[in-house]
Amino acid sequence: MARNKHPEETVNLILDVAFQRFMEKGYEHTSIQDMINHLGGLSKGAIYHHFKSKEDILEAVIERMTAESNQKLAAIRDSKVLSGREKLKKIFKESIARPVQNDIFTAAPDFHKNPKLLFSLLHDTIEEAVPQYIVPIIEQGISDGSIVTDYPKQLAELILLAANVWMNPMIFDSSVEESCCKFMVFGQMLQGFGLDIIDDEMLERIKELTAIYQANKC
């Protein structure tokens, strides 16, 4: 029985089932009981022993889903052959191009109903993604002359808040057309900082992800 497994195996089982249910029914239509029904006898108490809430399960699922692709983003950041500006373009392009985004947008929660998840997104953007990825790239760009700013941290925050929050159709329920318009304004904003890093391929990907979300939202 699942309850007799080692803790790590139990956690992995919960995340496996949660991912399957989120993909099939969407986050909002998946309950803890729904997961239990597919866990081969694992009790609700066993789930809550490892996770405090359904939100925590979703965050753990996404963390596991993105672990491998995050290594690719780190490799871009640490590249010895790219300029800061080139890294910024490549890391943004890779972050939206990675296939795992399709699954994230398919199983997307309704952020209006889940303020905890929205806060978690904001926290992860400012406290993790900005200092881990974008600030080092912008600081390198300042050193190599490919990026001009006196405020690397603030510029990094502005870029990621615009990309992860303002342009996020999962937060604002944007249509494909609205996402396209926001992306164009985002590109104009970056050009104002001398960062011409947006291209048509990225725009098409944004439209694709928005369409996936719209097709699968509850």
Side-chain angles (χ1 to χ4, degrees), residues 7-63:
E8 291 182 2
E9 294 176 335
T10 301
V11 168
N12 285 330
L13 176 61
I14 294 170
L15 296 182
D16 287 343
V17 169
F19 172 75
Q20 293 169 2
R21 304 315 296 161
F22 292 157
M23 291 298 295
E24 291 177 8
K25 300 182 64 175
Y27 176 80
E28 301 301 335
H29 288 172
T30 300
S31 65
I32 294 293
Q33 185 59 51
D34 187 34
M35 296 180 203
I36 292 171
N37 293 341
H38 293 80
L39 281 170
L42 195 68
S43 69
K44 182 177 291 188
I47 291 180
Y48 283 115
H49 175 73
H50 297 286
F51 299 100
K52 295 180 181 179
S53 64
K54 190 173 75 165
E55 291 95 338
D56 287 345
I57 295 175
L58 176 64
E59 290 177 0
V61 167
I62 293 176
E63 182 177 350

Side-chain angles (χ1 to χ4, degrees), residues 103-134:
D103 292 340
I104 292 173
F105 277 73
T106 296
D110 184 342
F111 280 98
H112 297 105
K113 297 178 181 178
N114 298 281
K116 179 181 176 181
L117 291 174
L118 178 57
F119 177 81
S120 179
L121 173 63
L122 291 169
H123 178 273
D124 290 348
T125 295
I126 296 299
E127 301 298 332
E128 296 184 16
V130 164
Q132 289 183 18
Y133 298 102
I134 309 304

Side-chain angles (χ1 to χ4, degrees), residues 68-76 86-101 199 201-202 205 209:
E68 182 177 350
S69 57
N70 283 345
Q71 294 178 1
K72 295 181 180 179
L73 301 184
I76 295 171
E86 290 169 336
K87 286 183 180 181
L88 194 60
K89 179 174 183 176
K90 189 169 184 178
I91 203 168
F92 184 76
K93 192 168 190 174
E94 177 63 30
S95 67
I96 61 175
R98 49 186 175 171
V100 70
Q101 292 283 20
D199 60 32
E201 186 177 347
M202 295 183 199
R205 179 58 171 160
L209 291 174

Side-chain angles (χ1 to χ4, degrees), residues 27-28 58 62 100-114 117-118 121 163-175 179 182 206 209-214 216-218:
Y27 176 80
E28 301 301 335
L58 176 64
I62 293 176
V100 70
Q101 292 283 20
N102 292 47
D103 292 340
I104 292 173
F105 277 73
T106 296
D110 184 342
F111 280 98
H112 297 105
K113 297 178 181 178
N114 298 281
L117 291 174
L118 178 57
L121 173 63
N164 289 358
V165 180
W166 182 66
M167 289 200 306
N168 192 336
M170 294 185 288
I171 295 176
F172 293 100
D173 195 22
S174 303
S175 65
S179 289
K182 286 188 174 185
I206 290 292
L209 291 174
T210 303
I212 290 172
Y213 167 72
Q214 289 294 340
N216 291 280
K217 71 178 183 178
C218 299

Side-chain angles (χ1 to χ4, degrees), residues 3 5 16 40 53 83 130 143 146 172 184 186 202 205:
R3 62 171 61 91
K5 290 180 177 293
D16 287 343
S53 64
S83 69
V130 164
S143 297
S146 62
F172 293 100
M184 298 306 292
F186 179 66
M202 295 183 199
R205 179 58 171 160

